[in-house]
Amino acid sequence: ETGVTQSPTHLIKTRGQQVTLRCSSQSGHNTVSWYQQALGQGPQFIFQYYREEENGRGNFPPRFSGLQFPNYSSELNVNALELDDSALYLCASTLGGVPTDTQYFGPGTRLTVL
Amino acid sequence: LAKTTQPISMDSYEGQEVNITCSHNNIATNDYITWYQQFPSQGPRFIIQGYKTKVTNEVASLFIPADRKSSTLSLPRVSLSDTAVYYCLVVRMDSSYKLIFGSGTRLLVRP
């Protein structure tokens, strides 16, 4: 148990729909990162939020957006879903002091796009 | 960031020591080497991190030679529950907290 929770656990959507995934970070952690993991591959960095501001973004289109709230919980929004968006979406929280601080991952949300 | 190369898969038996080697030829002075473990349908879990020589914790050891172009994760006396994917990452000491994952090494521990 890392103290990072994600909801929902599983989600099924159809192409073109929009989805919101949620993450509650570990207590005291002010940095949240989101990753997409396709089947059989390593996680790919989507973006990161530090104290409610985006602090780095990977190679993902603008239809992937996020928010971080004052309590440091976070949301990942994906618009205009495509079949290739089917994946495990992971969030990870970090204390935020040093880049080499451990990232604590949640269990993920499995998104299926039909 | 330095690209990492590690074996796609490894097999072992319970009770054996497993060594997984990772190559990171272009590692920079301010880069650290970090290993994560991932079980199916779970998020990755931090195992160990080091900069040079040897680091040991309660679950693994990390060996890094002087040139730091490779590293070896050593798992002593593996059990069936160590069956997982192991990722070697190079983490840079800069303002970014992003982790760059490769494809990892799938370790299968047999009875």
Side-chain angles (χ1 to χ4, degrees):
Chain A
E1 288 290 333
T2 63
V4 179
T5 59
Q6 293 187 242
S7 62
T9 306
H10 296 87
L11 202 53
I12 299 175
K13 292 284 189 178
T14 57
R15 200 169 41 180
Q17 285 189 311
Q18 178 265 343
V19 68
T20 298
L21 310 182
R22 295 178 175 82
C23 171
S24 290
S25 58
Q26 191 172 107
S27 178
H29 287 190
N30 58 20
T31 303
V32 173
S33 302
W34 285 90
Y35 295 80
Q36 179 196 66
Q37 186 173 25
L39 204 59
Q41 298 181 22
Q44 301 299 306
F45 175 75
I46 302 175
F47 45 57
Q48 178 185 95
Y49 279 82
Y50 172 67
R51 293 185 174 178
E52 304 177 59
E53 297 286 331
E54 188 177 292
N55 181 41
R57 188 178 184 92
N59 189 27
F60 281 81
R63 61 189 184 85
F64 285 78
S65 64
L67 278 174
Q68 187 180 31
F69 300 99
N71 66 355
Y72 301 137
S73 65
S74 178
E75 286 183 354
L76 164 65
N77 300 289
V78 186
N79 294 321
L81 284 167
E82 301 177 359
L83 297 180
D84 285 348
D85 296 333
S86 294
L88 181 68
Y89 287 85
L90 298 159
C91 78
S93 77
T94 312
L95 189 59
V98 179
T100 51
D101 278 348
T102 299
Q103 292 204 10
Y104 295 88
F105 284 82
T109 293
R110 173 73 62 186
L111 172 65
T112 302
V113 182
L114 302 176
Chain B
L1 284 175
K3 181 181 176 181
T4 59
T5 303
Q6 53 184 124
I8 294 173
S9 64
M10 294 181 68
D11 279 15
S12 184
Y13 291 92
E14 279 192 293
Q16 289 189 332
E17 178 184 72
V18 171
N19 295 308
I20 306 174
T21 297
C22 177
S23 170
H24 27 79
N25 289 320
N26 296 321
I27 193 167
T29 303
N30 57 345
D31 290 343
Y32 282 70
I33 298 135
T34 306
W35 286 79
Y36 278 78
Q37 174 194 54
Q38 186 177 26
F39 299 111
S41 298
Q42 293 186 27
R45 183 175 72 104
F46 172 86
I47 301 175
I48 199 166
Q49 179 173 271
Y51 185 80
K52 61 180 178 180
T53 61
K54 177 183 174 182
V55 179
T56 297
N57 62 22
E58 63 276 8
V59 298
S61 294
L62 178 60
F63 299 91
I64 305 168
D67 66 4
R68 304 199 327 122
K69 293 183 183 299
S70 67
S71 60
T72 299
L73 174 71
S74 181
L75 304 172
R77 296 181 298 283
V78 293
S79 64
L80 297 177
S81 63
D82 292 317
T83 293
V85 179
Y86 293 82
Y87 295 98
C88 166
L89 296 91
V90 170
V91 179
R92 179 149 297 168
M93 180 67 79
D94 61 16
S95 61
S96 169
Y97 292 82
K98 66 181 178 184
L99 299 178
I100 308 297
F101 287 85
S103 298
T105 297
R106 296 182 180 276
L107 173 65
L108 174 62
V109 180
R110 301 177 186 274

